[in-house]
Amino acid sequence: MIPTESTDFEYGVDRRVTEAAEALLALQKDDGHWVFELEADSTIPSEYIFLKHFLDEVDEELEAKIANYLRAAQADHGGWPLFENGAFELSATVKVYFALKLVGDSPDAPHMVCAREAVLAHGGAEAANVFTRFSLALFGQVPWRAVPFMPIEIMLLPRWFPFHLSKVSYWSRTVIVPLLIIMACKPRARNTKGVHVRELFRTPPEEVERYNTNPTGDIVGKLFLAADTAIRRFEPFFPKGSRQKAIRRAIEFITPRLNGEDGLGGIFPAMANAVMAMDALGYAKDHPDLVVAKRSVDKLLTMQGDKGYCQPCLSPIWDTTLALHAVLEADVPAEDERIMAAFDWMLERQILDVEGDWAMKRAGLRPGGWAFEYWNDYYPDVDDTAVIVMAMDRTGDARYADAIDRATEWIIGMQSKNGGWGAFDVDNTYRYLEHIPFADHGALLDPPTADVTARCIQMLGQLGYDRSHPTVRRGIDYLMREQERDGSWFGRWGVNHVYGTWSVLCAFEALGEDMRASHIRRAVTWMLQRQKEDGGWGEDCATYTPGQRHLMKISTPSQTAWALLGLMAAGEAEHEAVRRGVDYLLRAERDDEGKWVESLYTGTGFPRVFYLRYHGYSAYFPLWALARYRSLMRAREDTRQYGT
């Protein structure tokens, strides 16, 4: 056969798929799973430094590596952003400045001077958010009135009360409960060096009249502020017996959820708060609960050379599932011992016996999901579970039938009233709570979202469910209502509309929907219009901010892969835009491990608040997209598409 441009292109795709699949398999752990670094912004490593100085358990060598990481992350505007190349973020900058000063950086050092000037220019440390002021209060930098009043007696409130732990998200729940203990005890960090940051305040912190504000400007927020003031005045008269009972209730909540070395809730803020709460209550240093809680925090550390940071959590189940989809798409046989090892590892982690917090809304529903982390039995998530089911189903192996059935039963049972799915809870839609002063971070709830709902619908479609099933019908209705005016869908857990639109298009494809339907065409048009000149796609984290919806910086491999997978699901595999996107991935730089080079953040923790860089995204998503393209171009008889 005489080589042509077309055959050369297809050969390039084939070669890259083979190379990338082997590279990804080479990163697999001995027991079968994958796990990649999960990087957040600089606040998490800063808070790790706070924790160690609070306890007076400083490892200077380790601290020096974290300080190197923090200094390197400072942006040209003098402060620290929430994501690479992001705008100045006041609260993050206050935390990093304080952390570096605790480490020993002189306030007269050039990088500290720049940071301080930026903080003062943006309103001073008194304008920082609630969680930053809470950290400052622990070190005596602001009075406790600088944080919203959260009495430990919250633990005693009945379910019908307007504020109850069942009404907030799992991550808020696990952070708040130990936080309530800390706020009741009001401990002071050891801070043996006596470090302060008074120079970051425009007004001396003790003279600031009003720290707490109405986060939304709504009338409900004003009422909550008034309630905060009133209840604070009555605190001295709270019965001591009730306080002790509330503390016991908080400990009863925390203890069974400590989750061994995987930590409370599997997330750093909850783990760190648990350690400080136990310390504040006077736990002995060798108390087994305190010891294991400290280990869970240190397990999040990752070091490379003279730099290191603390991860917000670990992502092995998410990484393993997505890696499996990618290598299976690349035609690695399901019978391959490496694939079987990964599925066996996954199978052992299905949660079958623990009724987690989700059961507060779904009593009687049998457990059957998977968590995001190594272990987190109280908090399985719908998104991971749906993607795992799709991976197991595509193998055709009868060994996974029972696991698939249990997981499907659980996911169907987790559907919310409006037809959508949240990530961890059902009907977590108490929007009025977003107006409380404590919620100025805007991440208190876990309502249904288009991307998670799409994953569940896609799973059901792959398993053979269709619109005749009431769960599917309600889910589709939800997705139709959630489509944006421009044709896209919002991405809650990935940046942003590219992620959401990809997810929903795959759901419609799995159900066998007519891809010529107007709502599909609108989504395809939107995706095509977002392609950049280099053939890739790249949506900025700032698109969650009003007025910056269409902001793009550069193309990224992971977002390009999402766009390609979405367009191919919509029947556009032969579109010139898809070919250009594939060409972008073929040309894009790869590192020594075979991953595509990607420094920008494309994962979302909380929109406008907390973003994530999944280091594995550049390993498996581009491979997945290229392998899907190769499969479709080969025009196989069975071109059924699997996975997200």
Side-chain angles (χ1 to χ4, degrees), residues 84-98:
E84 187 172 349
N85 295 336
F88 174 86
E89 214 291 318
L90 175 65
S91 298
T93 302
V94 170
K95 283 185 176 180
V96 179
Y97 181 97
F98 192 12

Side-chain angles (χ1 to χ4, degrees), residues 151-475:
I152 186 70
E153 286 78 8
I154 284 174
M155 297 301 305
L156 306 178
L157 295 174
R159 288 276 297 273
W160 54 261
F161 199 78
F163 185 91
H164 187 269
L165 290 175
S166 66
K167 292 181 167 65
V168 299
S169 64
Y170 115 75
W171 56 83
S172 298
R173 207 174 299 138
T174 54
V175 168
I176 286 173
V177 174
L179 184 65
L180 294 175
I181 295 174
I182 297 169
M183 297 181 79
C185 297
K186 294 181 174 60
R188 178 67 68 90
R190 273 67 163 186
N191 192 14
T192 56
K193 297 179 182 178
V195 177
H196 70 84
V197 286
R198 292 181 65 87
E199 67 270 21
L200 294 184
F201 290 81
R202 284 183 170 184
T203 302
E206 64 276 4
E207 296 179 15
V208 176
E209 294 184 4
R210 176 171 293 183
Y211 281 100
N212 299 310
T213 61
N214 180 352
T216 62
D218 192 271
I219 184 64
V220 177
K222 293 181 179 180
L223 295 175
F224 275 120
L225 271 178
D228 180 277
T229 302
I231 297 173
R232 195 185 297 268
R233 291 175 179 172
F234 284 101
E235 183 186 15
F237 306 103
F238 286 2
K240 292 184 179 180
S242 296
R243 173 137 298 192
Q244 292 305 312
K245 181 180 179 181
I247 290 175
R248 288 195 300 272
R249 186 74 59 83
I251 292 298
E252 290 169 359
F253 175 91
I254 293 170
T255 302
R257 293 169 175 78
L258 280 176
N259 196 28
E261 292 187 8
D262 294 289
L264 177 62
I267 53 177
F268 172 83
M271 298 179 198
N273 282 352
V275 169
M276 290 187 287
M278 286 185 265
D279 181 80
L281 290 173
Y283 279 42
K285 285 193 173 184
D286 61 352
H287 190 290
D289 288 347
L290 181 54
V291 170
V292 75
K294 289 180 180 179
R295 286 177 182 167
S296 71
V297 173
D298 288 338
K299 191 175 177 180
L300 297 175
L301 295 170
T302 179
M303 299 290 146
Q304 291 185 357
D306 65 346
K307 294 179 184 177
Y309 64 93
C310 184
Q311 300 173 90
C313 62
L314 301 176
S315 56
I317 291 184
W318 187 240
D319 285 330
T320 300
T321 306
L322 295 172
L324 278 168
H325 275 287
V327 294
L328 287 170
E329 192 73 47
D331 292 336
V332 178
E335 299 78 20
D336 187 297
E337 61 181 11
R338 296 168 295 183
I339 303 301
M340 295 181 69
F343 277 115
D344 288 344
W345 181 89
M346 191 79 72
L347 197 60
E348 293 176 356
R349 282 160 175 75
Q350 188 174 21
I351 302 165
L352 300 173
D353 301 316
V354 178
E355 289 192 351
D357 288 2
W358 54 267
M360 290 188 285
K361 291 285 186 69
R362 285 294 183 266
L365 177 63
R366 292 197 303 171
W370 278 267
F372 181 81
E373 305 85 359
Y374 282 100
W375 300 102
N376 199 2
D377 285 359
Y378 276 84
Y379 304 108
D381 80 270
V382 168
D383 208 2
D384 277 84
T385 301
V387 179
I388 291 167
V389 167
M390 287 188 278
M392 288 183 168
D393 173 72
R394 71 185 297 173
T395 68
D397 194 327
R399 291 189 305 149
Y400 309 127
D402 289 343
I404 290 172
D405 289 345
R406 280 291 293 270
T408 303
E409 176 186 337
W410 184 71
I411 283 183
I412 289 175
M414 291 291 287
Q415 189 176 31
S416 290
K417 293 177 182 177
N418 65 3
W421 278 266
F424 299 91
D425 283 292
V426 179
D427 295 323
N428 197 247
T429 54
Y430 301 92
R431 299 289 187 182
Y432 62 87
L433 292 178
E434 295 175 339
H435 304 295
I436 67 175
F438 179 78
D440 69 347
H441 57 297
L444 198 67
L445 305 177
D446 179 20
T449 60
D451 47 352
V452 177
T453 300
R455 213 88 70 216
C456 296
I457 293 299
Q458 185 179 3
M459 181 206 78
L460 293 171
Q462 182 175 314
L463 294 178
Y465 291 75
D466 57 29
R467 277 182 177 265
S468 66
H469 193 283
T471 299
V472 174
R473 185 168 60 251
R474 292 172 57 228

Side-chain angles (χ1 to χ4, degrees), residues 495-498 526 537-541 543 549 551-552 559:
V495 182
N496 172 353
H497 294 89
V498 171
W526 179 87
W537 279 261
E539 193 172 4
D540 196 84
C541 296
T543 56
R549 178 185 174 94
L551 182 64
M552 296 188 295
Q559 290 169 317

